[in-house]
């Protein structure tokens, strides 16, 4: 007997309950039945019929390549609910064509605020999410570092020790070490492993132990930004004292000072290969610095070159995963894209009507996210340079955000004294 994909199978849906199916095609089985259910105009259908379409999408994956094509086509369905289901079903596929389709699709239209919580009278200036996407770490003008369960916002533990506002946080690639800096001019390095297995904690329990490994001093003014050179375990810090300092992350040993900016260093970023350090400043300039191949080698104190084009402070930087493109966000309300190896200005993204405070680039290098004093988070496609979506809801300027390694959720903080988590509902 031949294997006909259009014939009903055990997992197919048959319309009509106990009533014998008519011969005019009301049997919604097989690939043909899946096609019929998906062909309905879902924008005008009842919730029951939309539910039938969603079931049909899931069944389509039982029919190989032809069924997979139906799921891809559903990304253009009139119903956002159908589109969202199709997008979710395709997430587990690694075939190049599916990856390309998803890169060209805009999932951010489904993002909404999943929850928010008050930080009382404190403003959060820095947020980081652990590499496993399970926890978020935040710090602000309450001088406390708070570790939360990312899924529900429950506080797992806190770190105390700073005597001034916390302006910047950075996690090591393995998620075990946390670095913080701020107004008190110190860098503090913490063992995040003291949090332990948060999943085993009771709802009211907190982890004890201060977790502080060591404190670094050397800057004479506030520390605005930190980064870690992953292949060498070097810590980089930028300060209001116009300088960048490098430290051995394992020992806390001071390594070098980079000077060249004429005003405060507001942002730093490291290329994925660990070869270049990029810094942005209140002197409106961006400088690129060559880093050594090995931690023991001397660090060149002079920048390779300087990028100019912004007309106000350069507050944030981000680099694409391939190390080719640098994005810079400024108090002049623009985002500029630069060819990193030549310093050529490629394009300028205009849309924010307030200063750009924070940026991040997706792991696939296709999308850039930015937040601003204008109370919005904006998402851009780096290939087309078009804005994909804008998230609004905060009632004050957005100070910073962080994105989970898999692209969602996104966590943002604002001068409205709230932290919000954005993503797609299940």
């Amino acid at each position: 007997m031949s294997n006909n994909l259009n014939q009903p199978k055990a997992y197919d849906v048959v319309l009509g309950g106990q009533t014998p199916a008519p011969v005019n095609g009301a049997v919604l089985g097989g690939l043909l039945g899946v096609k019929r259910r998906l062909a309905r105009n879902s924008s005008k259908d009842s919730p029951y019929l939309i539910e039938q379409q969603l079931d049909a999408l899931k069944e389509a994956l039982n029919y190989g390549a032809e069924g997979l094509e139906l799921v891809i086509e559903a990304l253009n369905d009139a119903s956002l609910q159908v589109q969202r289901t199709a997008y979710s079903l395709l997430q587990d596929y690694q075939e190049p064509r599916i990856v390309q389709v998803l890169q060209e699709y805009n999932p951010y239209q489904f993002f909404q605020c999943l929850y928010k919580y008050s930080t009382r009278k404190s403003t959060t200036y820095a947020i980081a999410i652990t590499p496993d996407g399970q926890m978020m770490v935040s710090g602000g003008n309450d001088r406390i570092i708070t570790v939360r369960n990312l899924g529900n916002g429950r506080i797992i533990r806190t770190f105390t020790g700073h005597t001034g506002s916390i302006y910047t946080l950075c996690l090591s690639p393995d998620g075990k070490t946390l670095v913080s800096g701020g107004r008190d001019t110190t860098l503090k390095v913490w063992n995040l492993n003291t949090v332990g297995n948060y999943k085993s904690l009771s709802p009211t329990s907190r982890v004890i132990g201060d977790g502080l490994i060591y404190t670094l001093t050397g800057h004479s003014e506030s520390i605005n930004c930190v980064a870690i050179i992953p292949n060498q375990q070097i810590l980089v810090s930028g300060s209001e004292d116009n300088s960048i300092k490098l430290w051995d992350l394992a020992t806390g040993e001071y390594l070098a000072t980079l000077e060249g900016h004429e005003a405060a260093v507001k942002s730093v970023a490291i290329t994925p290969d660990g070869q270049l350090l990029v810094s942005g400043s209140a002197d409106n300039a961006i400088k690129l610095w060559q880093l050594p191949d090995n931690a023991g080698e001397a660090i060149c104190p002079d920048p390779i070159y300087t990028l100019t084009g912004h007309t106000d402070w350069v507050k944030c930087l981000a680099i694409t995963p391939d190390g080719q493109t640098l994005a810079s966000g400024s108090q002049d309300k623009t985002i500029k894209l630069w060819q990193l190896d030549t310093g050529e200005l490629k394009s300028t993204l205009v849309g924010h009507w307030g200063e750009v405070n924070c940026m991040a680039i997706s792991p696939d290098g296709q999308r850039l996210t930015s937040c601003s004093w204008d109370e919005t988070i904006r998402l851009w496609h780096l290939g087309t340079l078009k804005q994909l979506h804008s998230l609004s809801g905060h009632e004050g300027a957005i100070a910073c955000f962080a994105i989970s390694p898999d692209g969602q959720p996104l966590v943002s903080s604002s001068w409205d004294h709230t932290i919000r988590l954005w993503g797609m509902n299940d």
Side-chain angles (χ1 to χ4, degrees), residues 325-345:
T325 302
L326 167 71
S328 56
S330 171
Q331 196 160 284
D332 66 14
K333 308 174 187 178
T334 70
I335 297 168
K336 293 187 181 294
L337 303 177
W338 311 80
Q339 184 66 38
L340 201 51
D341 57 352
T342 64
E344 175 189 1
L345 177 61

Side-chain angles (χ1 to χ4, degrees), residues 80-100:
L80 287 180
Q81 191 174 358
V82 172
Q83 287 189 39
R84 185 176 67 181
T85 299
Y87 181 81
S88 298
L89 290 172
L90 294 172
Q91 288 293 297
D92 294 331
Y93 287 82
Q94 301 301 318
E95 289 85 346
R97 179 166 177 269
I98 304 298
V99 172
Q100 181 66 29

Side-chain angles (χ1 to χ4, degrees), residues 6 29-40 56 60 66-67 70 73:
N6 290 325
L31 186 60
L32 180 59
V34 170
K35 290 180 178 179
R36 286 175 177 168
R37 280 178 282 160
L38 290 176
R40 293 194 176 101
E66 196 170 352
L70 294 177
E73 291 172 8

Side-chain angles (χ1 to χ4, degrees), residues 102-120:
L102 294 182
Q103 287 178 350
E104 295 172 355
Y105 187 73
N106 175 21
Y108 301 111
Q109 60 188 312
F110 307 128
F111 271 43
Q112 56 186 292
C113 182
L114 301 180
Y115 67 74
K116 69 174 181 178
Y117 48 88
S118 171
T119 54
R120 299 182 181 179

